[in-house]
Amino acid sequence: MRGFTLVEVLVAMTIMAVLAGMAWRGVDAMARSRSASNEAVERTLRLHTALAQWEQDLLALNDSKAVPPLKFDGATLRLTREIEGGVALVAWSLRDGAWWRWSSPAATRVSELQEHWLRSQQLIGNEPGTLKVVDDTGALQVYFFRGNAWANAQSAGDTVVGESGVASGEQLPTGVRLVLDVRGAPLTRDIVLALPQQSP
């Protein structure tokens, strides 16, 4: 029975090494593709979760009369909403290339809510209740639906006049449009607002 020559063994080993290298490259490509796919799915789920929270916040508006129930300053949208145990102040802002949400603890007194409103104007990102909801965000625009048209949220709205004839603030819009630039692609979401709840 004849054995293998050294040349035959070397040729066989070379062929096996080439096949193993090709197989490894294929496995590596599949692993990278799977990793990229998982990251894309995770980003999409986070974005959908953020938009669902955005909608819940807007649909739970509470007009306490102590602070503006809905205000946008060009970078941050602040709103007051009903939560278990009282009223919370929520701030959605664009900072450091990401979309952030901050929520205050429940307030049961006017002074607490006013304090939360002041604190929301000095957020730096490490406060309790702060969450980075979407990465890679380049721009944030908000529009309010007033008088059968979309308008810049920073423009003045109609003034609400109380029973005594004194102005008590701006009339709330009937809709809010969010335009968010995520990874270079614009995303638009419109929310129709219900009449806000009134705190006693």
Side-chain angles (χ1 to χ4, degrees), residues 64 66-73 76-80 88-91 102 104-105 107 110-123:
S64 66
V67 297
L70 183 65
K71 193 77 172 173
F72 182 64
D73 64 10
T76 302
L77 182 126
R78 294 174 182 83
L79 60 92
T80 53
L89 182 73
V90 177
W102 172 78
S104 74
V110 167
S111 60
E112 290 177 327
L113 192 57
Q114 290 172 337
E115 182 183 329
H116 295 328
W117 178 269
L118 291 174
R119 190 190 317 169
S120 75
Q121 298 179 30
Q122 302 168 356
L123 299 175

Side-chain angles (χ1 to χ4, degrees), residues 72 141-145 150-154 173 175-179:
F72 182 64
Q141 296 174 334
V142 177
Y143 301 91
F144 289 163
F145 193 78
W150 290 105
N152 188 322
Q154 294 176 269
V176 175
R177 170 174 288 173
L178 168 72
V179 181

Side-chain angles (χ1 to χ4, degrees), residues 94-140:
L94 183 66
R95 187 173 59 250
D96 302 326
W99 198 27
W100 299 75
R101 180 184 185 269
W102 172 78
S103 179
S104 74
T108 55
R109 296 194 306 266
V110 167
S111 60
E112 290 177 327
L113 192 57
Q114 290 172 337
E115 182 183 329
H116 295 328
W117 178 269
L118 291 174
R119 190 190 317 169
S120 75
Q121 298 179 30
Q122 302 168 356
L123 299 175
I124 59 176
N126 60 357
E127 297 82 5
T130 302
L131 179 66
K132 184 193 290 187
V133 290
V134 180
D135 285 314
D136 299 324
T137 306
L140 168 68

